[in-house]
Amino acid sequence: MKVDRGLRWLVLLELLIPAALLTLGIYHGLMQVLYRAGWIRASEFWGLEYYQGLTLHGVVNALVFTTFFAVAFGNILVPYLLKMRYNMKVAWFSFALMLTGTLFASWAILSRKASVLYTFYPPLKAHPLFYIGLALVVIGSWVAFFNWIPVYLRWRRENPDKKTPIGIVGLFVQFIVWTIASVAVAYEIVFMLIPWSMGWVETVNAELARTLFWMFGHPLVYFWLLGAYIMYYAMLPKVAGGKLYSDFAARLVFMLFILFSMPVGVHHQFTDPSIGHNWKLLHTFFTYLVFIPSFLTAFTLAASLEYAGRKNGGNGLFGWWLRLPWFRTDGNKWLFSYFIAGLFIFIFGGISGLVQASYSVNLLVHNTSWVPGHFHMTVAGPVFLAFTGMMLYIVHRLTGREIPFRRFTVLVPYMWMIGIALFSWGLMRGGLHGEPRRTNLGLSYLNPDSPLYMPDWKLYTAITAVGGIIMFTAMLIYFIQLFGMFFSKKTGDGTIEFPIAEPYHDENVPWVLNFRPWIIVLLIIVAIAYTPVIIDVMQSTFGGSPPYSPENPIPLR
Amino acid sequence: MDRAERIALTLAGILTTTAFLGIVFAAYGMGVMVPTSIKDMKPFERDTVIQISDRHYEIHYIARMWTFFPQEVKIPVGSTVDIYLTSKDIIHGFNIHEKAVNLMAIPNAVNHVRVTFDREGEYRIVCHEYCGIGHQMMSAKIVVYNPEVEDEGG
Ligand code: HEM
Ligand SMILES: [Cu+2]
Ligand SMILES: [Cu+2]
C-alpha cells in the first residue's frame, strides 16, 4: 500500500513518541531488579526515587506504550485491510489528546507529584494533572476507534458477501473490549478522583474506587493480549510460510474474548474485604472460561505452524519443526522470531495466571512477587515482543530505511526469552516464600544491616536481577536498531505491506460474523457479575477517606 | 471444524470444568475460604488482643503508615486466632510469612480471617501493598510459644 505523508507521520509519531518514553521505563525496570536484590541500597538513584520510578515503569510500559501502539497499529491496519480512508482530522485530534495526556501524566510523575503507581489506588493522592492526563489518553483512544467505525460500516455495505478480514475482527474486538471496560475507570477518574484531588469533594470510597479500577484492569490485560492475537492469527501463519488453519476458530476465539473479558475483575480482589466470597467464586468461574479460547488458540496456531513446516519441506512427526524460519533475517521473516519467542513465554504466563486466579491458591501468592513474575510473561512477553517487533517493522517500512545490524533482529527476542525465564523464575519462587511486590527490598528485607533482613530471598532476587540485566541488554540492542534506523540508508520506497495469511479451512459459520449479539450478552453478564459486588461494597464500607501524600501519614486535609 | 479441532475443544471444556470443580471443592469441601463482606461490624478505633477461651484468641489489627498495631503478639502453640484488620489511613497489605494468611487492609472496612498456629516460632507479618515511602519498613510479628517450656512463655 502506498502511504501518503499525513498518514506516515501520524503513525510514525504515534509509535516513536511512546518508544522514546519506553527507554525510560525499561531503564527503571533494570533499576528495580537492582534495588530489589539489595545491590542498590538507597531510596533513589540518579534523581529517580524507587516508587516514582515504579510508577513511571507501570504507566509508561503498560498504559502509554500499549495504548499508543494499539491505536497506531489500527490506524495503519484499517486503511491497509479495508482499502478505505478514515477522517485524518479526527485521527490527528485523537493523537493530540493522547499526547497531551501523556505529557500531563509524565510531568506529574517526573516532578514527584504522582508516586501512586499505575493502579493509583486512593486515598493516596496524585496531582490532578496525573488523573486528567490518564483520562485524556483513554479518551483519545476512543476517538481513534470511533473514527474507524464509519469506515467499517461503509466497507460492510459495499462488500455484502465478503467476510470481514480477521485482522479487522481482532482489532474491533480489541477496541470493543477496551471501550466498554474503560467506562468503569473513566467513571472512577472523572467522577471520583478528579473532584476529590481538586478538593471539590472531601472524601472518596477507597474500596469502590478499587473495584471500579479492576473492573477495567482485567479487560485491560486482554486488550494488550488481543493486540498480539491479531498478529498471531492474521500474520504469523503467513510469516511461517503457511496458512491459518481455521478461519472459524479465529473468529470464535475473538468473539469469546468479548464475553469473557469483563465479568472477571474481582479475581484481583480475592483478599479484599467488602466483597462476598460467593461473588468472588463467580468471577473465578468466568476467569476459568478463558481456558477455552486459549486452548483453541494453542491448537490453531500449532496446526498452522505444522502446516507451514510441512509446506516448507519438513516431514515426520517433528521434522516440520525444523523447517520454520527460526533464525531467518531476510524480508519480513525475522518477525517470526518475535512471535514465536513470545508464544513460548506465553505458555508459562498462561499457566501461572490460572494458578493465581484460582481463588484459594491466590491466598499464597496475592501481592507477592509471584504476580509480577507472572505478568511479565504475558504483557512483557507475547504482548511486548509482538508490539516491539511490529513497531520495528512498521517504522522500517514507512521510513523506507534499512534496519541496522539486521542479523541482530532475531537475537533480541530469544535473548528476551532467556532473560524473562530467569527473571520470572526468581520472582515466582521468591513470591511463594512471601517476597512482597511493589517494595524497595534493598532498604530493608535485602539489607543485612536491617532488623528485617530476610536471607531466604537473596538467591531469588539475585536470579531475578541477572534475568533483568539480560532483558535490559536485549532492549538496548533493540533501541539501537530502532533509533539507528534514522541514520541508515534508504532502501525502500515508504510503501507498506503486511504478511496476511489465507485460511486453510474456510467455513462459513454465521454466528461468529456479527459483533452485536456478543456485545449484548457481554452487557448482560457484566450486570449479573457486578451488581451484587457493587451492592456488597456499598453495604460494607463505612464512610470515605481524605487524601494522603505518599510521604506523610497525616492526611492532606 | 475438523475432528482434531473438536477434540481440542472438548478437552478444553473438560479441563475448565475439572479445574473449576476442584476450586469449588477446596472452598466448600475443605473450607479454604477467602475473605467475605462484613456488613455488621464497623471499623474499630483501637487495636486489641482478646482471649476468648483457652486456645482461641481474637486480634484486632490496625494498619497505618508505616506500622501495624499490635506490633508483637505472643500466643501459645495450637491457638486459633480470629484476625480482624482495618486501616486508619490508606490501603495496606497483610501477609503472614509461611502461612496462607493474605489480606488487604482497606480504610473504612473490616477484613477477617481465622487461622490456627500449629508450629512454634516467630511469624513475620509483611505489608505487601505499596503505602508510601516507608512501605518497605512496615512489618509486625506473631510469636507462637510452647507454654510447657517455662521461661519461653514468660
Ligand atoms: C528490562 C525489562 C524489565 C525489567 C527488568 C522489569 C522489572 C520489573 C520489576 C522488578 C518489577 C516489580 C517491582 C516491584 O514490584 O517492586 C516490575 C513491575 C512491573 N513491570 Fe516490569 N520490567 C521490565 C519490562 C517491563 C515491560 C516491557 C512491561 C510492560 C509492557 C513491564 C510492566 C510492568 C508492570 C505493569 C509492573 C507493575 C508495576 C506495579 O506493581 O505498580 N515491565 N518490572
Ligand atoms: Cu486479571
Ligand atoms: Cu505497605
Side-chain angles (χ1 to χ4, degrees):
Chain A
M1 178 179 74
K2 263 192 137 87
V3 182
D4 61 43
R5 227 171 119 236
L7 181 59
R8 167 173 304 126
W9 274 105
L10 176 73
V11 174
L12 284 177
L13 287 175
E14 280 175 348
L15 292 175
L16 292 171
I17 289 175
L21 270 176
L22 189 65
T23 56
L24 262 181
I26 294 291
Y27 156 76
H28 208 265
L30 173 69
M31 287 298 115
Q32 279 150 217
V33 295
L34 302 181
Y35 284 102
R36 288 181 62 95
W39 298 354
I40 298 177
R41 290 184 203 145
S43 57
E44 59 177 88
F45 190 84
W46 284 1
L48 213 53
E49 194 263 338
Y50 185 84
Y51 301 106
Q52 179 192 20
L54 186 56
T55 308
L56 191 74
H57 183 80
V59 170
V60 166
N61 297 11
L63 299 178
V64 172
F65 170 65
T66 49
T67 311
F68 267 91
F69 177 84
V71 167
F73 192 41
N75 273 340
I76 189 82
L77 221 49
V78 167
Y80 181 75
L81 290 174
L82 298 184
K83 317 231 171 335
M84 281 180 181
R85 298 304 299 270
Y86 46 75
N87 184 325
M88 278 313 276
K89 285 209 184 76
V90 177
W92 280 109
F93 176 60
S94 123
F95 172 65
L97 286 175
M98 291 175 66
L99 182 64
T100 314
T102 304
L103 293 177
F104 283 179
S106 313
W107 170 82
I109 297 170
L110 290 174
S111 52
R112 280 199 202 184
K113 291 178 164 63
S115 298
V116 294
L117 306 192
Y118 85 111
T119 45
F120 50 85
Y121 298 139
L124 273 181
K125 187 192 76 75
H127 192 282
L129 279 184
F130 175 79
Y131 304 117
I132 295 172
L134 293 185
L136 287 179
V137 172
V138 171
I139 293 168
S141 69
W142 291 349
V143 172
F145 177 42
F146 296 153
N147 198 21
W148 305 331
I149 294 177
V151 181
Y152 166 73
L153 294 177
R154 192 161 45 124
W155 186 89
R156 277 261 51 109
R157 267 198 313 279
E158 292 174 16
N159 299 275
D161 36 46
K162 276 197 204 150
K163 281 194 276 186
T164 312
I166 292 286
I168 295 295
V169 172
L171 181 71
F172 271 62
V173 167
Q174 188 192 17
F175 275 83
I176 288 168
V177 166
W178 167 252
T179 304
I180 295 176
S182 50
V183 171
V185 79
Y187 181 90
E188 182 202 356
I189 294 180
V190 174
F191 293 104
M192 297 172 72
L193 300 182
I194 292 177
W196 169 76
S197 67
M198 298 288 252
W200 301 333
V201 299
E202 282 305 309
T203 62
V204 72
N205 183 330
E207 182 64 11
L208 180 63
R210 210 173 132 79
T211 306
L212 288 172
F213 181 85
W214 285 116
M215 198 168 165
F216 155 79
H218 194 84
L220 170 70
V221 317
Y222 290 163
F223 165 73
W224 299 332
L225 207 57
L226 283 163
Y229 271 39
I230 297 173
M231 296 177 222
Y232 291 159
Y233 277 106
M235 301 177 188
L236 169 63
K238 175 80 175 179
V239 174
K243 291 182 174 178
L244 172 63
Y245 189 72
S246 162
D247 177 79
F248 165 66
R251 289 172 202 274
L252 177 62
V253 163
F254 281 121
M255 294 305 173
L256 286 177
F257 265 106
I258 297 185
L259 289 195
F260 303 154
S261 59
M262 260 191 100
V264 294
V266 168
H267 70 218
H268 293 258
Q269 297 176 281
F270 285 146
T271 68
D272 279 26
S274 304
I275 298 174
H277 58 69
N278 293 329
W279 308 123
K280 290 178 177 171
L281 201 58
L282 180 68
H283 281 240
T284 310
F285 173 68
F286 283 122
T287 306
Y288 267 68
L289 288 180
V290 82
F291 251 128
I292 292 168
S294 307
F295 259 66
L296 244 130
T297 299
F299 177 84
T300 309
L301 296 184
S304 307
L305 291 180
E306 178 176 348
Y307 176 83
R310 293 197 189 285
K311 220 170 139 232
N312 297 344
N315 38 36
L317 201 53
F318 292 109
W320 57 270
W321 197 240
L322 300 173
R323 295 300 178 97
L324 295 172
W326 299 100
F327 299 107
R328 290 266 297 272
T329 56
D330 51 311
N332 56 30
K333 288 290 176 208
W334 56 269
L335 278 170
F336 185 79
S337 60
Y338 275 84
F339 294 156
I340 198 80
L343 281 168
F344 281 133
I345 301 171
F346 192 36
I347 295 173
F348 299 95
I351 294 172
S352 58
L354 283 162
V355 169
Q356 72 191 28
S358 62
Y359 193 74
S360 40
V361 181
N362 179 264
L363 294 178
L364 295 177
V365 295
H366 172 76
N367 261 6
T368 67
S369 57
W370 167 288
V371 177
H374 149 71
F375 66 65
H376 282 83
M377 296 193 293
T378 56
V379 63
V383 173
F384 190 64
L385 286 178
F387 286 18
T388 46
M390 189 48 66
M391 176 156 82
L392 193 65
Y393 180 73
I394 295 176
V395 173
H396 159 59
R397 292 298 304 248
L398 288 187
T399 58
R401 290 180 188 275
E402 188 42 40
I403 302 173
F405 312 107
R406 193 181 248 269
R407 262 172 304 152
F408 285 86
T409 42
V410 295
L411 180 67
V412 171
Y414 295 126
M415 213 169 140
W416 184 265
M417 182 173 85
I418 293 167
I420 281 262
L422 295 170
F423 171 88
S424 287
W425 184 86
L427 284 172
M428 288 168 67
R429 274 308 293 267
L432 290 174
H433 289 278
E435 180 191 328
R437 69 181 285 200
R438 304 185 140 177
T439 306
N440 183 352
L441 298 175
L443 281 181
S444 54
Y445 302 110
L446 263 291
N447 177 359
D449 304 329
S450 159
L452 297 178
Y453 184 50
M454 280 283 198
D456 289 13
W457 297 342
K458 221 173 140 171
L459 175 68
Y460 308 133
T461 51
I463 289 177
T464 299
V466 172
I469 292 169
I470 297 175
M471 290 156 72
F472 177 78
T473 315
M475 271 298 115
L476 207 61
I477 301 173
Y478 175 83
F479 282 123
I480 291 174
Q481 290 188 302
L482 182 71
F483 293 114
M485 209 132 51
F486 291 88
F487 303 98
S488 69
K489 66 174 185 301
K490 223 171 155 139
T491 51
D493 51 5
T495 62
I496 191 160
E497 303 300 330
F498 288 102
I500 300 294
E502 304 274 302
Y504 176 62
H505 289 303
D506 194 5
E507 288 162 276
N508 240 329
V509 184
W511 50 274
V512 293
L513 294 184
N514 202 337
F515 298 112
R516 195 171 298 132
W518 299 88
I519 297 175
I520 294 170
V521 178
L522 165 74
L523 294 177
I524 296 170
I525 304 181
V526 170
I528 294 172
Y530 264 103
T531 312
V533 170
I534 302 283
I535 292 177
D536 268 0
V537 169
M538 296 318 288
Q539 289 180 344
S540 56
T541 50
F542 301 87
S545 303
Y548 286 83
S549 139
E551 283 157 30
N552 197 331
I554 313 291
L556 290 168
R557 49 168 202 262
Chain B
M1 284 239 142
D2 63 12
R3 214 171 82 87
E5 268 182 299
R6 262 196 299 275
I7 294 175
L9 201 59
T10 315
L11 275 179
I14 293 173
L15 214 71
T16 314
T17 319
T18 325
F20 186 69
L21 288 180
I23 291 169
V24 173
F25 175 73
Y28 292 98
M30 294 161 55
V32 186
M33 277 297 174
V34 304
T36 192
S37 83
I38 300 182
K39 295 174 179 159
D40 53 359
M41 181 171 177
K42 288 217 165 165
F44 34 89
E45 292 304 318
R46 298 231 318 275
D47 58 295
T48 33
V49 181
I50 307 166
Q51 182 163 16
I52 294 180
S53 67
D54 183 24
R55 290 287 155 95
H56 188 182
Y57 290 79
E58 201 173 296
I59 310 180
H60 292 198
Y61 273 106
I62 285 191
R64 59 188 341 154
M65 291 156 96
W66 293 285
T67 181
F68 293 104
F69 299 105
Q71 256 297 300
E72 187 175 325
V73 180
K74 290 202 168 92
I75 51 165
V77 69
S79 298
T80 297
V81 182
D82 275 303
I83 291 175
Y84 289 91
L85 171 70
T86 189
S87 160
K88 282 293 154 221
D89 42 44
I90 61 176
I91 296 180
H92 300 276
F94 183 98
N95 189 19
I96 305 186
H97 199 59
E98 308 294 334
K99 275 267 164 208
V101 172
N102 200 324
L103 299 171
M104 298 305 294
I106 308 275
N108 306 309
V110 178
N111 213 341
H112 166 251
V113 72
R114 173 173 290 181
V115 54
T116 301
F117 290 91
D118 297 320
R119 266 191 312 115
E120 278 174 72
E122 238 186 65
Y123 291 82
R124 179 82 65 84
I125 298 168
V126 169
C127 173
H128 63 15
E129 182 56 85
Y130 167 66
C131 56
I133 51 168
H135 162 58
Q136 64 283 338
M137 302 292 180
M138 185 163 164
S139 163
K141 234 191 297 198
I142 293 180
V143 180
V144 179
Y145 65 91
N146 185 344
E148 262 97 77
V149 184
E150 198 50 44
D151 47 359
E152 227 186 324

